Amino acid sequence: MKCNASKTSEGNGQKSLSCDDECARLERNRKLALALNIDPEAHKDDHVPYSAETLRMFRDHVKWGQEQEREFRVFAADEAEKRLRFKAMAPQQRTFLHSLAEDFGLDSESMDPEPHRHVAVFKTPRFVMAPMKTLAECVRIRLNAEAAAASVIEEQRRLRSNNEAYNAFLLAHPRFGLTLDELRSELPAQVHSTPGLAFDISFLPSEEIVIKARPATSSTNIAPSSIEAAVKAIKIAVASVISSKQLASSCQLCTLDPSLNILRKELDRSVNVDGWSQVAAKAATPRSAPKLMGVGEKSVYTVLGSKLKDAKRKKQEIEKAKEEEPLVDDWEEAMRKEEQQEEKEGGLNIVDTTISQGDMTEQLSL
């Protein structure tokens, strides 16, 4: 039965709701998303339209941040308003307003000197609409994502702690240009003749190569411990070929899941060994008796030490002589006295030379 229908009235079946402001806004957003090739579904669920810095500052002051966000949303919804002015506030609060304005697609500017410095927000052509999610919703999404990531890390740690059986070889830093066919042909015969097992060779995104052991047929069921025993039995042969052919820098056992994710490496075990066990495992350095010097023989270190000591003593004497040299107030007068002293000494030298020449003449005449 149609709503409000009667014998005399058809009811509301022929009526339609008029499009209000909210309807017009949704229609504009739909057309804009269609023009920009934006999938509205991608902006739902776990999409966060705010920067990490904005969310961090919001989490520090949630109540105050919600009040500022409300001001932004009222301003964004009013098409007649083109500018929003906030009251004067501290620099940290102004930083939050600038970051939030950037996330909204608004322009912001700090005005006036302290203590009246405040933030003004402007609408520009790049502004489209306010984000669909609130800051509180995005903080909750981020916390859930962090919790999920932590659980994944914990699960991986738990899997590693369970000591899953090795089922593959891991080749680190393979030779440039090495192909799977070339590697398969170079592997030792033990790999191809292991009963009940087949080996798949794959490249990892990290450019490492894995050689994973698996049952030869889908109907064969082999225990993980048996696969580990098989790969350990042929590891020496595989590592020897890899090293002699220079196919990769190292070869170690590892555990792979069905998606070729590395759950455990052979070298990880050595990292967890107790530090004292590593020290005790190493042989102590043998001690050698000190070499006795012969009578009258000096050590090289003694000779070098005495030379350094003499050089240091001479340097100290030169520095002391410079410090004891009197300072002259009138340097021009001092220079003039030095020149006079030099001229006087030069004159005496000339007289002495003349006298000596006269003596020689007198002696020759005799």
Side-chain angles (χ1 to χ4, degrees):
M1 182 176 179
K2 296 180 180 180
C3 182
N4 292 334
S6 62
K7 293 181 179 180
T8 59
S9 176
E10 296 182 357
N12 297 328
Q14 302 297 328
K15 295 182 179 179
S16 60
L17 295 176
S18 59
C19 185
D20 55 4
D21 295 339
E22 181 65 16
C23 175
R25 184 182 67 82
L26 295 176
E27 181 62 19
R28 288 197 304 272
N29 293 340
R30 187 189 68 80
K31 293 181 179 180
L32 182 62
L34 183 63
L36 298 178
N37 196 21
I38 298 176
D39 184 9
E41 296 299 327
H43 293 265
K44 298 180 180 179
D45 301 331
D46 295 341
H47 176 71
V48 177
Y50 302 99
S51 65
E53 186 67 16
T54 302
L55 296 179
R56 184 190 63 79
M57 292 185 288
F58 176 78
R59 292 171 64 175
D60 294 339
H61 306 282
V62 175
K63 186 176 180 180
W64 179 83
Q66 288 177 336
E67 294 177 356
Q68 310 310 314
E69 181 187 8
R70 189 179 305 110
E71 294 289 335
F72 270 83
R73 291 191 177 277
V74 172
F75 171 66
D78 192 347
E79 297 182 358
E81 292 291 335
K82 300 299 181 183
R83 183 177 65 175
L84 174 63
R85 186 188 297 269
F86 289 87
K87 63 180 181 180
M89 55 184 64
Q92 296 83 359
Q93 296 173 331
R94 296 198 302 267
T95 302
F96 172 77
L97 295 181
H98 287 301
S99 182
L100 187 60
E102 181 68 22
D103 295 334
F104 268 70
L106 301 169
D107 287 0
S108 61
E109 183 180 356
S110 293
M111 298 182 174
D112 294 342
E114 299 287 359
H116 306 290
R117 196 161 183 80
H118 63 280
V119 175
V121 179
F122 307 91
K123 286 182 181 177
T124 58
R126 74 186 184 100
F127 170 72
V128 179
M129 59 174 293
M132 299 294 292
K133 292 186 179 70
T134 63
L135 286 169
E137 292 175 345
C138 293
V139 167
R140 185 166 56 253
I141 292 173
R142 267 307 158 77
L143 292 177
N144 293 337
E146 293 174 359
S151 64
V152 171
I153 295 175
E154 182 63 26
E155 180 66 17
Q156 292 179 351
R157 187 181 296 111
R158 185 187 65 81
L159 292 174
R160 290 172 182 169
S161 64
N162 290 339
N163 293 329
E164 298 88 348
Y166 294 123
N167 60 1
F169 298 99
L170 177 64
L171 308 184
H173 305 291
R175 188 180 66 196
F176 180 77
L178 181 63
T179 62
L180 298 182
D181 294 337
E182 182 181 0
L183 178 59
R184 186 177 289 105
S185 63
E186 295 290 349
L187 291 177
Q190 292 90 331
V191 174
H192 304 290
S193 61
T194 304
L197 290 180
F199 289 86
D200 296 331
I201 305 177
S202 304
F203 275 99
L204 298 181
S206 59
E207 297 185 357
E208 296 173 316
I209 299 178
V210 290
I211 307 174
K212 184 181 179 182
R214 61 171 177 82
T217 60
S218 58
S219 59
T220 306
N221 188 12
I222 302 178
S225 58
S226 300
I227 296 178
E228 180 177 14
V231 295
K232 283 185 175 181
I234 63 175
K235 185 206 169 182
I236 297 178
V238 173
S240 177
V241 171
I242 297 299
S243 177
S244 61
K245 301 288 186 178
Q246 297 183 353
L247 301 178
S249 61
S250 64
C251 174
Q252 61 176 312
L253 297 176
C254 69
T255 304
L256 299 177
D257 64 4
S259 300
L260 297 183
N261 296 315
I262 300 176
L263 304 179
R264 177 188 172 202
K265 294 181 182 179
E266 187 177 16
L267 295 182
D268 292 342
R269 190 172 182 178
S270 62
V271 174
N272 297 327
V273 176
D274 192 350
W276 171 247
S277 300
Q278 293 181 356
V279 175
K282 297 180 180 179
T285 304
R287 296 183 179 181
S288 58
K291 182 180 179 181
L292 298 177
M293 305 299 297
V295 178
E297 184 179 358
K298 291 185 179 181
S299 173
V300 177
Y301 301 102
T302 304
V303 175
L304 293 176
S306 61
K307 291 183 178 180
L308 292 175
K309 186 175 180 180
D310 293 341
K312 185 176 181 181
R313 179 171 52 78
K314 291 181 180 179
K315 184 178 180 181
Q316 291 177 351
E317 292 177 356
I318 295 173
E319 292 178 353
K320 185 176 180 181
K322 290 182 179 180
E323 293 178 356
E324 293 178 354
E325 185 178 354
L327 298 176
V328 180
D329 294 335
D330 191 354
W331 63 272
E332 294 181 350
E333 182 66 22
M335 290 292 294
R336 188 162 41 252
K337 289 182 179 180
E338 289 182 2
E339 292 176 356
Q340 293 176 358
Q341 183 67 22
E342 291 177 357
E343 291 177 358
K344 186 182 295 184
E345 292 177 355
L348 291 175
N349 292 335
I350 293 173
V351 173
D352 293 341
T353 304
T354 305
I355 293 173
S356 60
Q357 291 177 352
D359 293 342
M360 291 178 63
T361 305
E362 184 177 354
Q363 291 176 0
L364 291 174
S365 61
L366 291 176

